[in-house]
Amino acid sequence: METLIQEMQNPKTGVSVKCQKSFLYTIPSVFTGVDVVSWLKKRLKISDSDSGEATHLANLLCKFGYFFPVSDSKLLVVKDDASLYRFQCPYYWPSQSMEPDNVAYAIHLAKRSMRNKQKHGLEDFEQTALTKLQKMLCDKWGFICTQAEDQVRLAKERKRTDKLILDSQERAFWRIHRPPPGQIKCIEDGPKRNFQPSQMANRKRKNREFLQKEVIHLRNAINRCRLKTSKAIESYLVRVEQYEDNDPFLSGVLPSNPWITEDITFFETNSDIIDTPTEQRIKKWAVSFHELLTDPLGLQEFENFLKKEYSQENIRFWAACEQLKFCPVSEIPGKIECIYEEFLTTGSPHEVNIDSKTMESVQLNRKLKKPSRFTFEAAKEHIYTLMKKDSYPRFLRSEHYKSLLANAFAPFGKKKFFNFGSSRKKNNNLSLSPQPKRRSSEGKDCFDSSNSIAHHSFSTGNLRELDDRTVVFRRSNGSDTSLPRCDSPGVVHRQSSALSNKIESPRRSKLEVPKHLSVNMCENKTEATTCLAIAVPSKTNVVAPWEGPD
Amino acid sequence: MAATEALRADNPESIESLSREAESLKARLEEEKAKLNDVDMCVVAQRLDNLAQFNIKPRRVLKGHQGKVLCMDWSSDKRHIVSSSQDGKMLVWDAFTTNKEHAVTMPTTWVMACSYGPSGSIVACGGLDNKCTVYPLSLEEDPASKKKAVATHTSYLSCCSFTNSDYQILTGSGDSTCALWDVESGQLIQSFHGHAGDVMSIDLSPTETGNTFVSGGCDKVAMVWDMRTGDCVQMFEGHDSDINSVRFYPSGDAFATGSDDATCRLFDLRADREVSCYKKESIIFGCNSVDFSVSGRLLFGGYNDYTINLWDVLKGTRLSILYGHENRVSCLGVSPDGTALCTGSWDYTLRVSILANLM
């Protein structure tokens, strides 16, 4: 800020300061409002569209006392016109952090009261301040008077213009620090910081513990695995695209934003627990498992779903662990026992399935003297991933979820017609989110594409396998009538599609078997059975989890 | 005698060697980080559509404080607000009707921190009294009758936040520490040492595990902490002045900071570095408070020059400058459902506003 002002005062590049002649007498070293605003605009590259910004900034600089209006001592406002302003001398800048104390103010007021009434007369509020100060500082009043007299004498010896400028600067300074009643004092700081910058530097430099900690931290930091910046940024884009329609600032809300229309339907339809949640809300559950669990209603519906599957102990265990994590200290031991008995004791009605390793860590934690709220952390994580990978996708595909979506409350009003385009976009967006993508749309997509590609890649790939095998057959069988036919395309295609074969192989595997059979059958009936025996395991092994028979 | 001399000789040596080691490690770390810094955010974001200009429309003005408003927080019910001010008052508002529902006078001026509990039936605040006091809210009784001092620091309380429950509260203080407290017993659960200067702001991670939080302070460093162990997990430098505000990106993968150096920055936890800096030559005043819109596309910053700047997080451009207050904007927050923005200012008022699209 100060550097900006210094630049501004630069005689060549700064704001042009000149003597203005007005009417009968000249006003020395002043500049106009237009000048300062346009200078700021140019210097700070403010585009014309935010022209208000430069004026606003000029106003602030004025309020902070870097310059002040010459003619008007009442209002510290910069106008974008020909009104005149003058720079404050650096001695009075806020950065000098001069504590304006009452003694100095009293001297200033006393001085003015001694001088020409017309020019330096005190205003009402200043007069009252003066009498008040006189009472407050009665022991020092003699000193104040002599100081003021001295300063008045000094002032008389100065040149007329200098005197004018200095007087105005001093007045402007007090105008800021002792504003007339009813105006906000703008130079004010918050409470002092506890640590001064020098202290902070010392703490960093001298403190051994600090350094040791830092070294350890840095060592760890070097080994931390990091994501490429591009990957990280990509994830923001994906997120924003996913949530764009849920952002009322960007796409509005249905039926209406209560803050605009005073209609609180939106609040009501989106409260925590409600019978018929909005469609948008249910769709949001499909975005991520976390999104489902953080919504109390989502949690409830998920539990209902799991109840039907007889596996609600998982979600209840998770919820209990969450509660334990944030419960009051006094309740920890009791809660731990409760959870252990209900979910982890063998034979209990709600036993959750965790592997022995996780169980061991839980047992270890339980034996600690001080009960910890993180006793079940390992088990909780295990259950969480289990639900995320298994139950959650099934929940999204379930009839339960579909019926929720079908019965969802669809707020419509006038807006819906206007927003038709965007609401259609919404559907697309949400179904494009990662989880359901895998399930529904992409699942179909890749099935379709794998169908078409598979035929192609499979034919060549199969030929290659066949090729290898037929070599064996040839040796054993000697019936090589069909071989040349199979061999030549196999060789040609192999180079071109070797790569795609590798990628497509898991998808292909499903379709592989019948073809094998047919090829083999026409070739040799006796070999067919052995070929099948080879092909079948490949089918079950390579099948991707989402392509298995549902 | 000999032993103390040996110690004296040893001490500076070890401090020196330690700081040397720290320097070399820092250099290595920078190298490692530079390797993975392959692309600039605004380049990737070019493919996105530009957002239209926004204009801010104040919908409610909450008047009632007799001093500068210093802190505010939204309730989880999306319409109540708690705010605290310099004159020692804490008010609970129904922002929708602009009614004041509770008023609490604190035995101190400069109540710099206040926070709503997740249940919406408890609030906490503190300031120059170095304490964090919780007040259960009920319609029948004066909340002050049930107040309870939970946390005590050795310097002023600058920020506080409930964890995912009403039973724990996290505080940050001018004594350079953060601490996690048990509300019921006032017991210290975990303290977090590491900042060299005053802690100004904290924010809890919204991620699934939710075991971390971020803090920013006057030592220009933002730190990410593990609440379970009390260790600093990650450290982010880059600002040239005090960090006044930190806020997690809604996904929890990053956080934004607002600083006295007139910039806001976005630090990514996974990439372990600053990914974007929001600044403009014409912004020369410090930023007091930052918050994201629910989608994470917009970033609001409340500045000392009485304005709110609206940034496009991905493109790094300023979308709008929003005027409204007559003094510094000290705090701001987007409502939990993202429908409104509340700003508090040194002009003694709070404003609840919405954004209007300038088509």
Side-chain angles (χ1 to χ4, degrees), chain B residues 167-178:
Chain B
Y167 311 113
Q168 284 179 8
I169 195 161
L170 190 67
T171 57
S173 157
D175 63 8
S176 82
T177 64
C178 305

Side-chain angles (χ1 to χ4, degrees), chain A residues 109-126:
Chain A
L109 292 178
K111 193 165 71 184
R112 272 174 56 196
S113 64
M114 285 169 207
R115 292 170 71 178
N116 186 336
K117 268 272 161 52
Q118 204 199 343
K119 247 193 205 161
H120 303 280
L122 297 180
E123 308 212 5
D124 283 346
F125 79 96
E126 286 173 321

Side-chain angles (χ1 to χ4, degrees), chain B residues 65-85:
Chain B
H65 278 295
Q66 303 291 312
K68 298 162 187 155
V69 179
L70 301 175
C71 187
M72 59 83 41
D73 192 23
W74 283 92
S75 160
S76 52
D77 72 359
K78 296 135 195 160
R79 55 185 285 175
H80 281 79
I81 286 174
V82 61
S83 64
S84 65
S85 74

Side-chain angles (χ1 to χ4, degrees), chain A residues 1 4 43-46 50 52-53 56-57 60-61 63-64 184-186 188-195 200 203-208 210-215 217-219 221-237 239-241 243-244 246-250 253 257-264 266-267 270-272 290 322 325-331 373-374 377 380-381 384 388, chain B residues 11 14-15 18 21-22 25-26 28-29 36-39 41 44 47-48 54 59-60 68 74 78 95-96 110 112 155 163-165 167-168 174-176 182 184 187 189 193-198 200 206-209 211 218-219 228 232-235 242 244 249-251 254 260 268 270-273 275 281-282 284-285 293-295 297-298 300 305-307 314 318 321 323 327-328 337-340 346 352 354:
Chain A
M1 200 147 69
L4 184 76
R43 168 68 181 75
L44 302 174
K45 303 185 187 100
I46 297 170
D50 329 295
E53 197 180 349
H56 179 73
L57 199 61
L60 277 171
L61 291 174
K63 287 209 171 97
F64 273 81
I184 304 166
K185 218 161 130 183
C186 121
E188 261 176 305
D189 272 320
K192 284 245 170 63
R193 307 288 204 223
N194 197 23
F195 292 99
M200 283 189 242
R203 272 184 97 184
K204 264 192 185 159
R205 206 171 333 117
K206 298 259 171 70
N207 196 326
R208 195 169 165 187
F210 243 83
L211 276 169
Q212 275 167 345
K213 254 193 191 167
E214 196 178 346
V215 166
H217 173 85
L218 285 170
R219 277 204 192 116
I222 285 179
N223 296 325
R224 164 189 298 281
C225 48
R226 287 185 198 82
L227 215 61
K228 271 191 183 170
T229 316
S230 56
K231 289 256 171 60
I233 292 169
E234 200 60 40
S235 76
Y236 297 128
L237 299 195
R239 198 203 131 84
V240 164
E241 273 162 22
Y243 282 83
E244 213 161 27
N246 289 319
D247 191 338
F249 288 144
L250 293 178
V253 289
N257 189 333
W259 298 99
I260 304 173
T261 54
E262 315 288 324
D263 175 10
I264 57 165
F266 178 75
F267 282 149
N270 282 285
S271 54
D272 277 353
H290 181 56
E322 274 293 289
K325 208 161 98 185
F326 298 112
C327 75
V329 172
S330 58
E331 288 174 16
R373 54 181 79 239
F374 303 110
E377 201 69 356
K380 191 185 116 187
E381 251 163 55
Y384 184 84
K388 189 173 175 175
Chain B
N11 253 345
S14 78
I15 280 182
L18 275 173
E21 193 180 350
L25 284 171
K26 255 185 202 167
R28 257 184 67 196
L29 188 62
L36 290 170
N37 180 25
D38 48 356
V39 69
M41 191 144 179
V44 183
R47 69 158 200 254
L48 288 174
F54 287 102
R59 301 298 305 173
R60 303 280 188 282
K68 298 162 187 155
W74 283 92
K78 296 135 195 160
F96 196 70
W110 292 93
M112 286 180 284
S155 181
T163 61
N164 295 346
S165 80
Y167 311 113
Q168 284 179 8
D175 63 8
S176 82
D182 184 44
E184 193 187 54
Q187 212 176 316
I189 299 174
H193 297 268
H195 276 289
D198 311 24
M200 295 309 286
T207 51
E208 315 182 351
T209 47
N211 289 328
C218 293
D219 54 356
R228 290 174 295 182
C232 170
V233 208
Q234 275 174 289
M235 224 159 113
D242 307 3
N244 289 323
Y249 191 76
S251 69
D260 269 351
D268 189 278
R270 300 156 306 173
D272 202 17
R273 61 186 311 279
V275 282
E281 261 188 293
S282 57
I284 55 173
F285 287 82
S293 74
V294 283
S295 68
R297 180 79 194 262
L298 307 175
F300 298 90
D305 58 3
Y306 314 175
T307 64
L314 302 179
R318 187 181 69 181
I321 179 165
Y323 303 95
N327 209 328
R328 298 186 183 189
D337 57 0
T339 47
W346 281 19
V352 180
I354 53 123

Side-chain angles (χ1 to χ4, degrees), chain A residues 286-304:
Chain A
V287 173
S288 74
F289 190 40
H290 181 56
E291 203 66 66
L292 175 74
L293 293 186
T294 43
D295 187 341
L297 195 65
L299 188 66
Q300 192 185 316
E301 290 299 340
F302 188 55
E303 197 178 330
N304 287 344

